[in-house]
C-alpha cells in the first residue's frame, strides 16, 4: 500500500492535506479526513463488480432474507440501486454514502420509507452485509455495529482469490 501526504487543491474540496492509498485497484484521496475523491484504474475492475450476500456460519443470508420480505416494488428499487453500485462503483451521494471503517451504504428511496443496505468492497466484490428500513435521521448504532461485526467476519475468512 502506498501512503503519502501533500498539500492539495481541488475544486469543491478546498485546500488541505491529502492522504492517498491504493487498494483493490482503487486510489482514494482523502482531503481533510472527511471529504474524498476516488480515482479508479478502470481497467483493473471488472464491470459489473461481482456482488455477494454475507453468509452466517449456519449458512443463512440475512440481507437476501430481508430483501425477500420487502414488497415486490420496494425489492426491485433496492435491487436496482445495488445494480447501479455494481456498474458504477465508486459512487457518491445521493445513492452511496461512506460510513467510515471501509463501510458504505446504498441509500434507497422507497415510495413511503427509506431503505439502507450496508456493504463493503472486499477483494473486488461488493459484499452486502446488512439491510434495514431507516426510521431515524441518523443510522442507529446497533445497525452499524452489526455491519461492523459482519465485516470483521468476512475479512477473517481466507482469501478466495488465487
Amino acid at each position: 500500500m502506498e501512503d503519502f501526504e501533500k498539500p492539495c487543491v481541488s475544486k469543491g474540496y478546498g485546500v488541505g492535506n491529502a492522504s492517498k492509498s491504493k487498494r483493490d485497484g482503487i486510489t482514494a484521496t482523502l482531503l481533510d479526513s472527511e471529504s474524498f475523491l476516488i480515482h479508479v484504474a478502470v481497467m483493473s475492475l471488472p464491470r459489473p463488480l461481482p456482488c455477494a450476500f454475507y453468509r452466517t456460519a449456519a449458512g443463512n443470508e440475512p440481507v437476501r432474507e430481508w430483501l425477500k420480505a420487502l414488497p415486490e416494488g420496494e425489492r426491485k428499487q433496492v435491487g436496482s440501486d445495488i445494480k447501479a453500485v455494481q456498474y458504477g462503483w465508486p459512487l457518491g451521494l445521493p445513492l452511496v454514502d461512506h460510513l467510515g471503517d471501509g463501510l458504505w451504504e446504498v441509500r434507497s428511496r422507497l415510495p413511503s420509507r427509506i431503505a439502507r443496505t450496508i456493504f463493503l468492497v472486499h477483494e473486488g466484490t461488493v459484499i452486502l452485509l446488512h439491510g434495514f428500513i431507516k426510521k431515524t435521521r441518523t443510522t442507529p448504532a446497533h445497525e452499524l455495529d452489526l455491519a461492523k461485526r459482519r465485516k470483521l467476519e468476512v475479512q477473517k475468512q481466507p482469501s478466495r482469490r488465487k
Side-chain angles (χ1 to χ4, degrees):
M1 184 183 304
E2 171 187 323
D3 290 315
F4 59 90
E5 288 193 8
K6 68 176 186 172
C8 180
V9 178
S10 178
K11 183 176 181 181
Y13 291 92
V15 177
N17 287 329
S19 173
K20 288 191 176 185
S21 66
K22 187 168 186 176
R23 188 168 159 192
D24 293 332
I26 299 171
T27 302
T29 305
L30 295 171
L31 302 170
D32 298 330
S33 72
E34 289 297 322
S35 303
F36 55 92
L37 291 173
I38 298 179
H39 306 280
V40 178
V42 176
M43 300 305 287
S44 67
L45 291 175
R47 294 291 178 209
L49 286 179
C51 189
F53 292 93
Y54 162 81
R55 185 175 290 154
T56 66
N60 298 327
E61 295 176 331
V63 178
R64 184 187 303 266
E65 294 164 11
W66 171 73
L67 283 169
K68 285 183 174 180
L70 292 175
E72 182 181 1
E74 293 181 351
R75 185 172 52 245
K76 285 183 178 183
Q77 180 61 51
V78 173
S80 175
D81 291 343
I82 291 168
K83 185 176 181 179
V85 171
Q86 288 182 267
Y87 278 90
W89 182 255
L91 295 172
L93 291 169
L95 182 60
V96 176
D97 197 11
H98 186 240
L99 299 175
D101 200 30
L103 294 176
W104 301 84
E105 70 176 354
V106 178
R107 304 158 47 94
S108 299
R109 289 188 172 265
L110 306 176
S112 63
R113 53 195 185 159
I114 297 171
R116 296 292 189 253
T117 308
I118 301 177
F119 71 95
L120 82 141
V121 177
H122 181 69
E123 297 180 351
T125 300
V126 174
I127 310 279
L128 305 176
L129 299 172
H130 183 49
F132 62 98
I133 299 298
K134 191 166 179 183
K135 297 176 182 165
T136 62
R137 186 167 172 84
T138 60
T139 301
H142 69 277
E143 305 284 8
L144 196 51
D145 291 341
L146 177 59
K148 286 179 181 178
R149 284 194 307 271
R150 290 177 176 174
K151 175 188 157 219
L152 292 174
E153 288 179 38
V154 168
Q155 291 175 330
K156 286 180 184 175
Q157 293 176 357
S159 176
R160 294 180 183 207
R161 286 193 166 175
K162 295 182 180 170

